[in-house]
């Protein structure tokens, strides 16, 4: 549980805030959706929390508990998947940002663990246009840099869901959460142009698109380390006076 819910007291937050010019909060956003037969429904939340925790270990940020249910409508064909509307997710993140500003934290980074949360990009764009400080992390470029550093073989196009990257991160951060089967569940479907219309079930019977058999704990460790390094540019930009 300590991996998912920060253990800070209010005094911890006060002390950390006194030592920085601008306080930055980090909000992991995951999902609750199918990830094949071997990864848990909470995989995206676990990934987002692992990334956020790595960031909090390297930078003086205010780590928040995760948003655990988001926009997973493309996975509705599988039992266990739960979604909220994009309007609701938009409102939740906006409300969190507003509440943080009232408590003196004027900068929010959303760490997104689910590719289907398209609305988070709109939240950040709209907030930035209003002059508020907000960012979405990681970008595709950050994932690509992490993939190369970790020696992940599968491209970001092919590694779409429950593949090499997610399996590697969980093998490193939460190996107890994996069940047998990832070694034999590879499935590739690179042409997914009708995904928004057909959902995942139009492309995969197992729910998997990627090569989980190539996952390893060492790759997961390097993926997280690379993302923490990439976050440095975000932190510098958000805490500057420009």
């Amino acid at each position: 549980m300590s991996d998912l819910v920060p253990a800070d007291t209010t005094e911890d937050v006060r002390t950390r805030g006194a030592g920085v010019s601008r306080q930055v909060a980090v909000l992991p956003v995951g999902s609750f959706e199918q990830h094949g037969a071997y990864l848990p429904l909470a995989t995206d939340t676990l990934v987002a929390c692992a990334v956020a925790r790595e960031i909090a270990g390297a930078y003086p940020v205010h780590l928040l508990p995760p948003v655990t249910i988001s926009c997973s409508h493309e996975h509705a064909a599988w039992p266990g998947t739960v979604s909220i509307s994009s309007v609701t997710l938009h409102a939740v993140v906006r409300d969190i940002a507003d509440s943080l500003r009232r408590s003196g934290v004027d900068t929010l980074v959303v760490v997104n663990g689910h590719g289907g949360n398209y609305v988070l990009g709109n939240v950040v764009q709209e907030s930035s246009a209003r002059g508020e400080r907000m960012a979405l992390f990681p970008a595709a470029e950050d994932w690509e840099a992490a993939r190369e550093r970790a020696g992940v073989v599968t491209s970001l196009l092919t590694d779409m869901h429950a593949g090499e990257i997610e399996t590697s991160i969980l093998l490193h951060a939460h190996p107890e959460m994996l069940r047998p089967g990832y070694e034999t569940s590879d499935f590739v479907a690179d042409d997914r142009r009708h995904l928004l219309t057909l959902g995942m079930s139009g492309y995969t019977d197992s729910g998997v698109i990627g090569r989980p058999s190539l996952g390893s704990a060492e790759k997961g460790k390097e993926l997280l380390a690379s993302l923490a390094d990439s976050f440095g540019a975000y932190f510098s930009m958000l805490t500057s006076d420009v």
Side-chain angles (χ1 to χ4, degrees):
M1 184 64 70
S2 62
D3 287 341
L4 300 178
V5 181
D8 280 347
T9 68
T10 188
E11 291 306 315
D12 293 329
V13 177
R14 189 195 308 275
T15 300
R16 187 185 306 115
V20 295
S21 59
R22 173 171 279 111
Q23 291 195 69
V24 177
V26 172
L27 175 68
V29 178
S31 72
F32 199 73
E33 65 188 36
Q34 71 84 20
H35 276 76
Y38 51 88
L39 291 179
L41 293 160
T43 290
D44 289 341
T45 298
L46 295 170
V47 169
C49 286
V51 174
R53 193 168 61 249
E54 196 83 8
I55 289 170
Y59 305 90
V61 298
H62 177 29
L63 182 59
L64 301 173
V67 175
T68 59
I69 296 176
S70 59
C71 302
S72 300
H73 311 283
E74 70 273 29
H75 298 277
W78 281 270
T81 297
V82 182
S83 291
I84 58 176
S85 73
S86 60
V87 173
T88 299
L89 182 58
H90 189 295
V92 167
V93 176
R94 279 290 314 280
D95 283 356
I96 290 171
D98 290 345
S99 177
L100 285 165
R101 281 191 294 275
R102 288 193 293 272
S103 68
V105 181
D106 69 351
T107 304
L108 176 63
V109 178
V110 179
V111 174
N112 182 32
H114 171 48
N117 288 336
Y118 312 114
V119 71
L120 294 177
N122 299 116
V123 177
V124 172
Q125 285 180 323
E126 294 165 13
S127 297
S128 298
R130 289 191 297 271
E132 301 162 5
R133 291 190 180 236
M134 190 182 294
L136 182 61
F137 183 82
E141 292 85 354
D142 302 312
W143 278 118
E144 183 61 28
R147 186 187 71 82
E148 293 179 1
R149 172 167 160 179
V152 170
V153 176
T154 316
S155 70
L156 293 181
L157 172 64
T158 299
D159 194 53
M160 188 261 187
H161 190 70
E164 186 176 1
I165 286 177
E166 290 183 322
T167 300
S168 293
I169 291 176
L170 261 69
L171 281 169
H172 168 64
H174 293 282
E176 75 284 357
M177 300 293 281
L178 274 81
R179 300 190 184 188
Y182 72 89
E183 305 91 341
T184 57
S185 295
D186 292 4
F187 182 78
V188 174
D190 283 352
D191 186 345
R192 304 184 295 269
R193 69 188 73 190
H194 303 301
L195 178 67
L196 297 181
T197 301
L198 300 177
M200 285 285 287
S201 62
Y203 294 93
T204 172
D205 293 331
S206 67
V208 178
I209 297 180
R211 297 190 177 97
S213 69
L214 300 175
S216 73
E218 183 58 33
K219 289 178 182 177
K221 179 180 180 180
E222 287 301 314
L223 284 163
L224 294 176
S226 177
L227 291 173
D229 289 345
S230 293
F231 185 77
Y234 291 75
F235 188 78
S236 296
M237 174 185 65
L238 291 169
T239 56
S240 71
D241 292 330
V242 178

